[in-house]
Amino acid sequence: MLFFAAMNIVFQGLQKFGFKTAIIDDGGNYSYSKIEEQSNTIANYFSSKGIEKGDRVAFLLAANFEFVATLFGVWKAGGIAVPLCAIHPVSELQYVVDDSQAKLLILGEEFSNNVLQINTTQSVLISEIGHLSCDTQHRTFSAQDSALLLYTSGTTNKPKGVVHTHESLNTTINSLIDAWKWSSSDHILHVLPLHHTHGLVNKLLCAMAVGATCEFLPKFDAEIVWNYFLERDITLFMAVPTIYSKLISYWDDQLKERQRQLSEGCKNLRLMVSGSAALPVPILEKWESISGHRLLERYGMTEIGMAISNPYNGERRAGFIGKPLPKVSVRLVDENNEVIKVENEQGEIQIKGALVFKEYWNKPVVTANSFTADGWFKTGDSAIIINGYHKILGRNSVDIIKSGGYKISALEIESKLLGYSKIEECAVVGIPDKEWGEVVAVAMVVRGVALREPQRALEHIQSWAKDKMAPYKIPRKIITVDELPRNVSGKIMKKEVKKLF
Ligand code: MCA
Ligand code: AMP
């Protein structure tokens, strides 16, 4: 008998929507029943491999049906899902596998080379998980049980694992379904990575919870996305600002008649959302002029899911992230942790509610320090409220960079760069960029003459870094200096470093 507590709203969808199309990928169309069936098979396999409640199962799979079936399979077996980043080099994957103490690693065919390179207790290719007819009794889990471990970069050198429970995931999913009017007739085009909240929760899991169709592209490609808007019945699109910027560039390069057709194609959609990084007002305005859609900008974070949003109906204010979603408590506090009670005063955003994560994996001290004594999560984002709407003003830490919607730790890159023998000292900063939001830049003091010429240094370092860091972390701008700007106590002054570029 198959049995588990359907505490997670997305499970209800698997049973309720039966033969409706849930997923479309390169391989075809898959119904909700197919996910139910395949995830049972996978859960049985996990149980046969000794996966028990609370065990971490890591998986490196392309954005496709197998990913979705594996995610549900992990949950049905009582495990904690650890989706890995498809574009991370082996060293970064190894870090996540080790840090999460994954008991099992699942790999897609396209990643089969990694089997030989990542050290794990057990790893298996997804294609090798056959159909086990044994009638496994799936474990029950409660709302408070851990469900998901997502890695995020922060003010610490190495990425931290953010643990979400079934309840915290459900809270964000339910609130987005209401706020953005998700329904079973929705068809979302999915172009984002699945190891982050934006792609995994906002797009995939919301779709699965309401019986919508989620169509995956293997990789973002501006031309393909435009053609999908034109030719298919897409109703929903969600992306980071960089993607809208790339879609605009593509449109700009087309002849008038094609531009007209592309713009016309956007009429089929009912909603387009932007998030993960600040949406520049010129992008919002240009997008509105070519697509007819005023982007709905919202604010979230790996640790909290989605907290603040512009409205579905009503004013979507350019340059603002909107108002708190229902069931989320949001406050701004000044540097003395005094709550700001009036508008037009800048403070840190702090969040409370069932959407907030449970803990950083194996980091009790860091977890405790990220909350105030009275239980508010400190986001590190600074904001102001004007006429009821929140506006992000920046981050408290200069060491956090957002590039293409990815959060990057300057400290992590610095520590990796110092592994290059010719670099004596370095300071990594984010430099504003029209397309990427910010790009990674490094000022460095080098040994010898080989890296003195900036263009040569850039080529050298980019090629050296390829197997050590994900593409979005690799420095795009480099300068060499005789010494880094420091204050009287010897601390590098990052604001001065930024000015060097
Ligand atoms: C890639 N390139 C870059 C960067 N990334 N250059 C500068 N800065 C970067 N960050 C270079 C590559 O090296 C390559 O260069 C060229 O750009 C194309 O690379 P490619 O990988 O093909 O780029 P892409 O596929 O067009 O990627 C752009 C992207 C991607 C689709 C915007 O960055 C992306 O998927 N971002 C989304 C991340 C995300 O989902 N974040 C959500 C986390 P060359 O051609 O020279 O080789 S935040 C979150 O979840 C919270 C909760 C929230 O609020 O949402
Ligand atoms: P991550 O930790 O990768 O989930 O990124 C979360 C961070 O992205 C937040 O702390 C913000 O700094 C940033 N972010 C998300 N949405 C927005 C937005 N609409 N405007 C500005 N920053 C945002």
Side-chain angles (χ1 to χ4, degrees):
M1 189 189 84
L2 294 177
F3 171 74
F4 61 93
M7 296 307 297
N8 191 323
I9 183 180
V10 285
F11 281 111
Q12 294 158 17
L14 297 190
Q15 282 146 13
K16 204 161 135 194
F17 300 106
F19 293 104
K20 192 171 181 297
T21 301
I23 298 293
I24 304 178
D25 68 15
D26 293 13
N29 295 11
Y30 303 85
S31 66
Y32 280 86
S33 303
K34 188 73 194 157
I35 300 176
E36 175 79 330
E37 184 188 308
Q38 187 65 16
S39 56
N40 285 341
T41 299
I42 293 174
N44 286 344
Y45 174 83
F46 289 158
S47 301
S48 77
K49 288 284 163 189
I51 296 300
E52 297 187 342
K53 190 166 160 169
D55 283 342
R56 276 77 54 216
V57 178
F59 44 102
L60 181 57
L61 297 166
N64 58 23
F65 167 72
E66 286 175 340
F67 180 101
V68 183
T70 303
L71 176 66
F72 283 104
V74 176
W75 285 340
K76 288 179 176 185
I80 302 177
V82 189
L84 299 174
C85 173
I87 58 167
H88 274 185
V90 169
S91 57
E92 293 192 336
L93 296 170
Q94 185 72 58
Y95 169 77
V96 174
V97 168
D98 290 345
D99 187 76
S100 64
Q101 300 153 303
K103 202 162 170 185
L104 185 57
L105 169 65
I106 312 296
L107 291 154
E109 290 304 314
E110 53 279 77
F111 304 105
S112 54
N113 281 346
N114 291 326
V115 181
L116 305 171
Q117 298 178 53
I118 302 176
N119 292 321
T120 49
T121 2
Q122 301 185 82
S123 66
V124 67
L125 286 177
I126 187 81
S127 55
E128 287 169 16
I129 302 182
H131 191 80
L132 292 180
S133 54
C134 63
D135 214 3
T136 310
Q137 182 168 325
H138 290 185
R139 292 185 174 77
T140 56
F141 53 81
S142 74
Q144 269 68 40
D145 284 339
S146 303
L148 187 66
L149 194 42
L150 296 179
Y151 277 77
T152 185
S153 293
T155 40
T156 48
N157 175 343
K158 300 267 190 192
K160 299 172 288 208
V162 173
V163 180
H164 273 282
T165 62
H166 290 279
E167 186 188 21
S168 59
L169 291 177
N170 270 347
T171 306
T172 283
I173 294 167
N174 275 320
S175 114
L176 295 187
I177 291 171
D178 280 353
W180 299 344
K181 312 264 183 276
W182 274 91
S183 81
S184 63
S185 47
D186 273 319
H187 182 165
I188 188 162
L189 179 61
H190 199 299
V191 296
L192 289 178
L194 286 165
H195 65 293
H196 281 310
T197 304
H198 196 162
L200 186 67
V201 182
N202 297 20
K203 298 183 85 176
L204 174 64
L205 292 179
C206 283
M208 296 298 98
V210 296
T213 300
C214 177
E215 179 152 9
F216 288 116
L217 283 188
K219 184 179 182 328
F220 168 73
D221 179 289
E223 182 169 17
I224 297 177
V225 169
W226 271 117
N227 286 337
Y228 271 59
F229 290 162
L230 199 57
E231 292 157 12
R232 301 181 65 89
D233 56 352
I234 307 296
T235 64
L236 256 175
F237 190 67
M238 299 181 189
V240 298
T242 301
I243 286 184
Y244 289 106
S245 163
K246 285 172 179 267
L247 290 172
I248 290 170
S249 300
Y250 178 86
W251 188 93
D252 277 340
D253 289 345
Q254 304 309 300
L255 295 174
K256 281 263 164 317
E257 178 53 17
R258 167 100 169 138
Q259 286 184 339
R260 195 196 56 72
Q261 286 171 353
L262 295 177
S263 296
E264 189 66 21
C266 293
K267 286 202 176 135
N268 303 327
L269 283 94
R270 70 167 183 88
L271 176 65
M272 294 180 141
V273 178
S274 173
S276 302
L279 174 64
V281 174
I283 294 186
L284 174 134
E285 287 172 347
K286 173 82 185 199
W287 187 255
E288 189 169 13
S289 78
I290 66 179
S291 74
H293 284 270
R294 190 161 178 89
L295 292 171
L296 184 158
E297 183 174 9
R298 56 50 176 188
Y299 162 87
M301 194 174 181
T302 305
E303 287 87 336
I304 57 172
M306 293 300 118
I308 303 175
S309 173
N310 273 282
Y312 186 79
N313 294 312
E315 186 198 2
R316 297 182 193 164
R317 199 180 296 168
F320 287 75
I321 52 171
K323 298 182 178 185
L325 285 159
K327 301 197 183 113
V328 184
S329 301
V330 178
R331 69 181 193 184
L332 298 186
V333 298
D334 64 19
E335 55 268 25
N336 304 317
N337 210 33
E338 295 290 333
V339 180
I340 297 171
K341 299 214 168 80
V342 291
E343 290 206 344
N344 298 308
E345 244 183 64
Q346 178 172 353
E348 183 191 44
I349 302 179
Q350 297 190 345
I351 306 283
K352 212 182 214 183
L355 75 172
V356 175
F357 74 126
K358 179 179 173 184
E359 60 188 349
Y360 291 116
W361 180 251
N362 272 342
K363 290 189 169 42
V365 176
V366 183
T367 305
N369 290 340
S370 68
F371 288 87
T372 62
D374 51 350
W376 291 78
F377 174 68
K378 302 185 272 186
T379 62
D381 287 312
S382 176
I384 191 168
I385 303 173
I386 303 173
N387 295 332
Y389 277 54
H390 289 67
K391 182 179 182 63
I392 297 278
L393 297 175
R395 291 201 55 94
N396 294 348
S397 167
V398 281
D399 287 324
I400 292 179
I401 300 167
K402 264 269 165 170
S403 188
Y406 282 111
K407 189 161 157 187
I408 301 168
S409 160
L411 305 180
E412 183 189 348
I413 300 179
E414 284 163 9
S415 95
K416 287 193 173 154
L417 289 174
L418 290 175
Y420 191 44
S421 58
K422 295 191 171 72
I423 300 176
E424 196 172 312
E425 284 191 301
C426 65
V428 168
V429 290
I431 299 296
D433 183 88
K434 245 176 101 184
E435 185 174 27
W436 298 96
E438 286 183 301
V439 287
V440 174
V442 54
M444 55 193 198
V445 179
V446 296
R447 297 190 179 96
V449 290
L451 297 184
R452 286 226 166 245
E453 200 275 305
Q455 189 52 35
R456 219 163 141 226
L458 188 65
E459 283 160 20
H460 261 294
I461 285 173
Q462 289 188 338
S463 113
W464 172 85
K466 261 201 176 99
D467 60 347
K468 296 170 188 69
M469 45 184 111
Y472 57 87
K473 296 181 189 170
I474 294 177
R476 305 285 152 181
K477 289 180 195 290
I478 289 184
I479 51 165
T480 51
V481 289
D482 291 331
E483 56 184 58
L484 294 169
R486 291 178 188 276
N487 63 16
V488 278
S489 49
K491 195 170 177 299
I492 296 173
M493 296 185 294
K494 290 268 172 115
K495 284 192 179 133
E496 296 305 310
V497 175
K498 280 191 178 206
K499 287 184 195 156
L500 299 174
F501 290 89

